Every structure is written in structure tokens, then in C-alpha cells.
Amino acid sequence: SAVISQKPSRDICQRGTSLTIQCQVDSQVTMMFWYRQQPGQSLTLIATANQGSEATYESGFVIDKFPISRPNLTFSTLTVSNMSPEDSSIYLCSVDLRVAEAFFGQGTRLTVV
Amino acid sequence: GQQLNQSPQSMFIQEGEDVSMNCTSSSIFNTWLWYKQDPGEGPVLLIALYKAGELTSNGRLTAQFGITRKDSFLNISASIPSDVGIYFCAGRGEYGNKLVFGAGTILRVKS
């Protein structure tokens, strides 16, 4: 498995502000994935981040709201922009290792007030 | 899009009992993954399945990849209090790298 570190682990933010979440992996990976887990719900893929190209967003998620950076093969950031209380969720980054096994960071618990 | 139906939604069992949960879909999957999520943590991979009919164990956990490639189950034998958590199935379809997740099964254990 990989060591996947996310920062911050939790935050409470004011509506209208933005938060950038960092994800660091201890090995080089081609793709990194960002998920959202709303309270009491399952995981929903936000976007796939490839190094050197723009992220690919899933239906219902747009770059203006969730800009992603992928400056190298071990690091990515997800920004939640212009936050509202509906953005209160756990945000998780993930990488694929060993053929098709997905591993997750510990998550960032975001509360928007 | 692809969807996974996971059941049961929740279980409240006695310590020592066996547990069974499953996921079904109308779509074919090439990979099935089972995860456990504890409060405040990210999902942790328990078992990965790659071939139809494959039966894989990890300690007290056993999972199977259905023959039709449209379902999978996870069994936990002789449950203990630390088995408490949310269990998710996830499948990877024939095309692309995306994982689709089930809604989760909340497991509670009475000691």
C-alpha cells in the first residue's frame, strides 16, 4: 500500500471563502482521484488528476468550483471555492496501486458555517 | 451510469455472530473491492477480487466475485467489537478507471 497524507484533516470555514486541500503520496503515481463523501453518504468521484494535463471532472462537478492542481507525480491539491454549507463533507484523495486497488488518504472533514 | 446496490443498509448483531453483506449491479464489473471506514478515517481496503468466481479470504473476512460479474458478497465470521464501522463495496467496470461505490453497510456489534 501507499502512505497518503492529506492536509488539513479538518477545518471549519466561513461561507464564501475557499479552502485548498493537499494530498501527498509517498510514491509516484500516474493518476490521483478526488472524492466527496457527504454526511452519511457514500463516496462520489469529483475528478481525476493527471500530472501535466487538466483534471477530468465528473458530471455535476466543475473546475470553477473545484479547481485541481497536479504539479508532480506525488502531489495534488483540491480547492473548494466560494463555499456554502452544502459543501460540508469529507473530501478524500485516492491513488491506484497494484493493478487496480484504490487506496485513500484519511480525508479532510470540512464544515462550512 | 453504473450503480451498485448494497445491502443490508445496516446490521446490529451479537458479538460472535457471522455477518454477510452483498452488492449487486445490472452492469458487469472487472474488479470488486471491499472497504471498511471507521469514523473520521478514510476507507481501508479489505479485499480485492479480480476474477469471476474468485473467493478470497483475509483473516475472518471472505469475499467472492460473482460468476455473472454483476455481484459480490463479503462475509465476516465470529464478529468482534472492532468490526464496527461502515463497509463499502466498490466496482471497476469494463471501461475506464473509475470506481463506483455502494451506499455502505453500517455494522454495529453488541458485546
Side-chain angles (χ1 to χ4, degrees), chain B residues 34 47 49 54-57 61-65 72-75:
Chain B
W34 284 93
I47 292 180
L49 301 160
E54 180 181 357
L55 185 71
T56 298
S57 293
L61 278 61
T62 302
Q64 183 156 31
F65 193 142
S72 177
F73 72 74
L74 174 71
N75 287 342

Side-chain angles (χ1 to χ4, degrees), chain A residues 36-49:
Chain A
R36 181 176 73 182
Q37 187 176 25
Q38 293 177 301
Q41 302 295 313
S42 186
L43 284 74
T44 301
L45 182 64
I46 297 172
T48 302

